[in-house]
Amino acid sequence: MNTQIFVETRKRMHFSQDQLAQGICTQATLSKFERNGKVPSLKILLRLCDRLCLTLDDLFPVSQEDDSERSSVLEIAENHLLQERYQAVLLALRNLGEPTQDSTTFQLRYYFLRGYATALGDGTLGDALYDFSQILNRLDEGHRTMFSTLAYTGMGIAYNRSGDADRAEFFFNKVANEIRNMQFNQRHNIWRALNILNYTAEYYSQRADFVSSDELLDYGVQICSRYHMTYYLARITYLKALNALHRQDPVGPIRQELRDAEAFARLNGNQRVLSLIAGTLNQLDKQ
């Protein structure tokens, strides 16, 4: 058992032992677990993990070489998703095969990645919803992890792209109410949270709800600043410029916002955003 992950996560989330144990077990029980690896009852351990957004798989990692290799493929696929290479995500996951024998954490990541790549890469609505239902109805039935929020966001994306505005709105509104309660206890969770925030803000922008969109984008800037994450700043800043453009704000500040977005995109090699910015600047020049 890897109690170090447990302790490090508790500290990153700024829980004292007393705070984490409250309502679950005594501080002494928690202390014995962290210090000596003395495992409390399964019921207590599950509740402690839930509070830290951990699973038992995080504490009992599989160490076989082939599983390590499979996890590295997931890491590559997640990087493809971040850079919007959806077909590369699907190809990597197809080579892995269905993850029926893998850990719960592995399966959560797998179905999140495949569902997003399917929804964003113009796959079928049914295929995307199947993957998200694996998360919501089987792997995280209590909806306690960020993967459930990612699944709700993915369902909003899938319905929006299929033209079902009412169902899309239901899921994006659900996500918008949860965004500020998300915990950033791991590096991956920061960019996943920014992913959720970006697509939700984009949806509200499409609906001409620029107030809700800008509030989310401003929160995204705070997250990027706090955790020194620059990759999503290009998208966030570009979307803020688009919102201002749609509101017909003064052109000068919009151009500056676009230049800032361009700088962030160039810093991170985000060619897609650079292309979008160039098109928007060209449109402004013609006005």
Side-chain angles (χ1 to χ4, degrees):
M1 173 183 289
N2 194 338
T3 55
Q4 184 178 353
I5 290 176
F6 185 95
V7 175
E8 289 177 353
T9 302
R10 174 178 65 77
K11 290 179 178 178
R12 278 198 300 269
M13 295 177 72
H14 306 293
F15 279 116
S16 67
Q17 286 187 340
D18 279 335
Q19 290 170 328
L20 180 59
Q22 189 172 9
I24 298 177
C25 64
T26 64
Q27 185 270 336
T29 297
L30 179 56
S31 178
K32 289 176 184 176
F33 171 59
E34 290 191 351
R35 189 172 61 247
N36 303 321
K38 181 171 177 156
V39 182
S41 71
L42 180 60
K43 181 179 179 181
I44 288 175
L45 185 57
L46 283 170
R47 292 182 67 189
L48 291 170
C49 286
D50 280 345
R51 191 165 283 180
L52 294 178
C53 298
L54 291 171
T55 70
L56 291 183
D57 290 318
D58 294 319
L59 302 186
F60 296 91
V62 179
S63 59
Q64 289 97 329
E65 183 178 350
D66 58 341
D67 286 327
S68 176
E69 290 175 0
R70 287 173 65 79
S71 294
S72 70
V73 174
L74 278 191
E75 196 73 24
I76 292 168
E78 198 151 358
N79 187 56
H80 285 321
L81 181 64
L82 180 62
Q83 298 184 47
E84 304 178 65
R85 297 196 293 259
Y86 306 125
Q87 292 307 309
V89 175
L90 294 173
L91 178 61
L93 298 180
R94 194 176 301 123
N95 289 336
L96 280 176
E98 291 292 326
T100 52
Q101 302 302 315
D102 294 288
S103 69
T104 300
T105 302
F106 187 100
Q107 291 186 59
L108 284 166
R109 291 182 70 189
Y110 181 97
Y111 288 116
F112 144 61
L113 290 169
R114 194 171 73 177
Y116 262 67
T118 300
L120 292 165
D122 298 322
T124 69
L125 174 64
D127 284 345
L129 295 183
Y130 171 82
D131 286 336
F132 298 133
S133 72
Q134 293 298 305
I135 295 171
L136 296 169
N137 300 328
R138 183 170 67 85
L139 297 166
D140 186 23
E141 290 181 277
H143 302 176
R144 296 185 179 95
T145 74
M146 183 177 285
F147 287 102
S148 283
T149 312
L150 285 162
Y152 289 136
T153 308
M155 292 174 81
I157 293 169
Y159 278 120
N160 191 40
R161 295 196 167 214
S162 70
D164 192 335
D166 290 340
R167 284 189 172 90
E169 183 172 13
F170 170 82
F171 286 107
F172 279 118
N173 285 346
K174 183 177 182 64
V175 168
N177 292 328
E178 298 179 4
I179 285 176
R180 291 183 183 271
N181 295 323
M182 288 187 296
Q183 302 288 341
F184 310 134
N185 57 307
Q186 297 175 4
R187 175 180 61 85
H188 283 102
N189 282 353
I190 301 171
W191 91 254
R192 289 169 187 160
L194 290 168
N195 173 301
I196 292 166
L197 188 149
N198 175 76
Y199 286 112
T200 307
E202 184 177 71
Y203 170 77
Y204 284 129
S205 179
Q206 292 170 1
R207 303 281 287 183
D209 184 354
F210 302 121
V211 172
S212 297
S213 181
D214 280 343
E215 286 178 353
L216 290 170
L217 294 170
D218 288 340
Y219 184 48
V221 171
Q222 292 176 31
I223 295 172
C224 290
S225 176
R226 187 185 313 156
Y227 295 100
H228 310 292
M229 302 282 285
T230 61
Y231 191 84
Y232 263 97
L233 272 176
R235 300 187 201 184
I236 289 170
T237 309
Y238 175 65
L239 189 50
K240 281 173 65 69
L242 285 188
N243 286 351
L245 188 60
H246 290 310
R247 284 194 305 264
Q248 298 184 328
D249 289 355
V251 173
I254 294 174
R255 285 185 182 277
Q256 184 58 55
E257 199 94 67
L258 289 169
R259 293 302 183 193
D260 290 344
E262 187 177 45
F264 290 127
R266 187 171 290 110
L267 175 67
N268 292 286
N270 193 326
Q271 297 302 317
R272 179 176 177 274
V273 175
L274 282 170
S275 177
L276 292 171
I277 293 168
T280 305
L281 285 169
N282 187 51
Q283 178 186 342
L284 283 175
D285 291 338
K286 291 178 179 179
Q287 291 179 354

